[in-house]
Amino acid sequence: MLPKNQEKLLNDIHSRVIEYLNDINIKPNKTEKEIRSNIDLSIGTSSDLNQIKTLFDKYLEHSTKTNSPQFYNQLFSGFSTTGYIGELLSTITNNSMYTYEMSPVATLIEVELLNKMSSLIGYKNGGGTFVPGGSNGNFLAMLAARHYRMPTVMNSGLFGVSPMTVFVSRDCHYSMTKSANQLGIGTDNIIKVDVDKGGKMIPDALDQAIQLSLNLGSIPFFVAATAGTTVRGCFDPTQEIAQICKKYNLWFHIDASWGGSVLLSKKHKHLMNGCDQSDSVTWCTHKAMAQPLMCTAILFKDPSILESLNDVAGTEYLFHNKDSKEPDLGKQSLQCGRRVDVLKLWFTWKYYGDSEYGKKIDHLFNMAKYAELAVIKSKMLNLVSDVNYLNICFQIQPDGINTSQVGHFTIAVRNELFKNADAMVNYAEIDGKTCMRLVTANYDLNTKHIDQLFSDIESNANKLLTNYN
Ligand SMILES: *Cc1c(COP(=O)(O)O)cnc(C)c1O
């Protein structure tokens, strides 16, 4: 039984949550000093539940507002009610994904979702596991590839093995490089293949890089294409890359952390054409599928590799049901205890169904197109890269700002937008050009929000211009 004062706290908090969610204004970041003077962060003395409630409110007040349509800063934005109730249910039931008996419903839901996502990729008997994010998914893919190519490394390590090489594009996510370190491959053995003007990996350059690596006596084993690059939203040419992987018998991974969601859309899934020829795919639904962090699947054409690479001694205390038909998903995971990440996605997908979920993705594309046209129409904005997906990269250069100043000026406008609580938009660099990276990932976004954003960009730019130089 819940003590009465705890029940009251839960009720109070519920109405505070609703109030918070109804307020969709961006709030400028608080400085460290402001936070330290407003919130007693120290641990030591006890507090009563009223003080806990106050801390709860203060946390909300001082946190970055990601549920606002004017939050364009990351590859996620907005709030999902079905996602939230999934998270709530995960926490109050506090099941753990290692064994069927510890998470019976969630285990079956996870298998259902993995099957669904595998079939969208085009794998006939695919499967996989949920992991805490795209970086972890890429790590697991690289580990699976290493295990496939060099199964003895599992027991004897990489000692005495020739350098093993990994091929990614120059625009790939940094988690690839980190994975090479974590797996003992070494960051020097990550070979970054050139991209074309639009940001796509050049297949011929990949072929040559593999040849060179073979000539040097290395062991190429893993190629990763990106479906939806982090900065430009570019899709690598999957079919050509698949052919090269076949030619050299290499593991073919697709990092679709950002772009995988196009598979829901009838209109846009062609961007992933050929993805069924891959061996593995990372797919984050906490990005364009609007789920709360984290909700990532790593999918394998042949999921049996997962049990093989996780097959170590000492698990008898946990996995008792050797002959049971019901799956213990812990045997396929790098984790032991594992939170239930699938409920949020399951509720959301149940709610929308395939068709409506696909239309949400189409809507994000429409918003990106609308924003792209706004950039093209504007006299002071210049696109830095073609728009393939939901990333719109542009510079802010009104009359009076020359080419050497435009990067700094773009960042200055970005900071001003945030300071004035107009919008939060990130910036990045493409071929030495600093630009705004606008991302349309919020399902509540409409053209009025985008009009407002561009009007704010122009007015902040004009204001800054008067005392610039
Ligand atoms: C976001 C992203 C990742 C990392 O995903 P996390 O869930 O943040 O770890 C990996 N690859 C690409 C292409 C991404 O955009």
Side-chain angles (χ1 to χ4, degrees):
M1 270 258 297
L2 211 55
K4 275 280 170 276
N5 60 344
Q6 292 185 22
E7 193 177 316
K8 179 174 181 313
L9 175 66
L10 289 177
N11 282 325
D12 289 352
I13 274 170
H14 180 68
S15 52
R16 181 69 186 95
V17 165
I18 304 288
E19 192 185 297
Y20 175 81
L21 293 172
N22 279 325
D23 172 11
I24 52 165
N25 293 310
I26 293 279
K27 305 223 175 355
N29 259 12
K30 308 287 190 291
T31 62
E32 178 174 351
K33 209 170 148 199
E34 280 173 286
I35 292 176
R36 288 192 181 283
S37 61
N38 273 299
I39 308 178
D40 179 6
L41 300 170
S42 71
I43 299 289
T45 51
S46 66
S47 319
D48 61 26
L49 288 182
N50 285 328
Q51 291 168 307
I52 296 297
K53 170 71 171 48
T54 306
L55 291 173
F56 182 93
D57 289 339
K58 284 189 173 171
Y59 183 89
L60 285 183
E61 267 168 53
H62 290 77
S63 292
T64 307
K65 275 294 247 175
T66 64
N67 66 319
S68 167
Q70 296 301 345
F71 176 83
Y72 304 93
N73 203 65
Q74 307 299 144
L75 304 182
F76 65 89
S77 173
F79 173 75
S80 161
T81 298
T82 43
Y84 174 63
I85 64 166
E87 287 295 72
L88 209 59
L89 204 51
S90 286
T91 301
I92 62 179
T93 51
N94 203 31
N95 282 192
S96 179
M97 293 303 304
Y98 30 52
T99 56
Y100 176 83
E101 65 174 15
M102 267 314 301
S103 54
V105 196
T107 294
L108 299 180
I109 289 175
E110 180 155 323
V111 171
E112 185 73 25
L113 282 169
L114 290 166
N115 287 341
K116 176 81 185 185
M117 295 168 90
S118 292
S119 72
L120 287 175
I121 290 166
Y123 292 159
K124 287 213 175 61
N125 298 299
T129 183
F130 276 73
V131 289
S135 303
N136 284 274
N138 290 337
F139 171 85
L140 186 48
M142 202 183 286
L143 171 60
R146 197 197 70 188
H147 186 68
Y148 176 77
R149 180 68 178 78
M150 282 279 180
T152 57
V153 169
M154 180 166 176
N155 297 313
S156 53
L158 281 161
F159 306 100
V161 176
S162 297
M164 297 182 75
T165 46
V166 162
F167 300 82
V168 292
S169 98
R170 250 198 312 128
D171 279 9
C172 79
H173 190 260
Y174 71 88
S175 55
M176 292 297 176
T177 312
K178 291 182 91 170
S179 298
N181 170 32
Q182 291 153 3
L183 288 165
I185 302 298
T187 57
D188 287 350
N189 293 313
I190 283 266
I191 294 162
K192 298 227 165 130
V193 177
D194 257 344
V195 296
D196 64 18
K197 265 196 168 152
K200 294 187 169 94
M201 189 195 277
I202 303 170
D204 280 346
L206 171 65
D207 195 308
Q208 284 162 21
I210 295 168
Q211 272 296 351
L212 182 64
S213 187
L214 285 168
N215 293 344
L216 290 170
S218 302
I219 307 171
F221 76 103
F222 181 80
V223 174
T226 311
T229 53
T230 310
V231 175
R232 294 201 232 187
C234 195
F235 288 75
D236 284 335
T238 307
Q239 304 195 47
E240 281 109 314
I241 296 171
Q243 287 309 314
I244 295 170
C245 290
K246 253 184 219 131
K247 175 170 152 192
Y248 294 102
N249 193 22
L250 304 180
W251 186 282
F252 178 30
H253 175 65
I254 301 178
D255 178 5
S257 291
W258 173 219
S261 312
V262 303
L263 291 173
L264 296 177
S265 158
K266 284 205 175 77
K267 205 165 152 197
H268 299 287
K269 66 179 179 194
H270 66 88
L271 288 166
M272 296 262 300
N273 272 357
C275 65
D276 57 319
Q277 293 169 57
S278 66
D279 296 293
S280 53
V281 172
T282 306
W283 181 352
C284 298
T285 74
H286 58 255
K287 291 183 170 176
M289 283 170 79
Q291 294 316 290
L293 297 162
M294 315 292 291
C295 195
T296 298
I298 166 81
L299 300 139
F300 292 89
K301 178 175 271 170
D302 175 6
S304 66
I305 189 102
L306 282 176
E307 280 213 25
S308 166
L309 68 86
N310 282 300
D311 186 16
V312 296
T315 62
E316 300 78 5
Y317 82 95
L318 186 61
F319 304 122
H320 305 304
N321 300 327
K322 265 213 148 82
D323 308 316
S324 135
K325 278 207 200 83
E326 287 145 349
D328 289 336
L329 298 189
K331 292 178 183 166
Q332 292 162 34
S333 174
L334 296 181
Q335 293 169 255
C336 177
R338 178 158 69 93
R339 78 190 298 281
V340 175
D341 273 340
V342 289
L343 269 178
K344 47 194 164 189
L345 178 60
W346 187 66
F347 277 126
T348 304
W349 213 326
K350 288 290 265 189
Y351 177 59
Y352 289 139
D354 292 341
S355 165
E356 199 56 34
Y357 223 157
K359 284 185 193 146
K360 296 287 175 198
I361 304 299
D362 292 344
H363 176 67
L364 299 182
F365 270 93
N366 292 341
M367 292 300 102
K369 193 77 203 162
Y370 188 81
E372 178 190 4
L373 289 176
V375 172
I376 292 169
K377 268 190 285 185
S378 164
K379 281 209 192 90
M380 68 163 74
L381 306 178
N382 298 313
L383 272 184
V384 171
S385 189
D386 288 346
V387 178
N388 303 288
Y389 187 35
L390 313 178
N391 313 41
I392 303 97
C393 297
F394 60 93
Q395 289 189 308
I396 306 170
Q397 189 174 16
D399 287 342
I401 295 295
N402 63 39
T403 314
S404 69
Q405 296 169 309
V406 62
H408 282 112
F409 188 77
T410 299
I411 297 175
V413 176
R414 184 264 173 188
N415 291 340
E416 204 62 18
L417 276 171
F418 190 26
K419 204 176 86 194
N420 296 329
D422 292 328
M424 193 172 179
V425 192
N426 223 334
Y427 62 91
E429 203 171 288
I430 297 174
D431 294 336
K433 288 183 180 170
T434 303
C435 55
M436 299 272 266
R437 183 200 62 172
L438 175 63
V439 177
T440 57
N442 190 322
Y443 287 6
D444 296 328
L445 207 56
N446 60 40
T447 53
K448 285 207 186 82
H449 295 127
I450 293 176
D451 290 342
Q452 183 65 50
L453 171 70
F454 282 102
S455 147
D456 288 336
I457 287 175
E458 300 212 350
S459 61
N460 278 292
N462 285 327
K463 248 187 285 167
L464 268 182
L465 198 57
T466 48
N467 38 14
Y468 209 70
N469 293 325

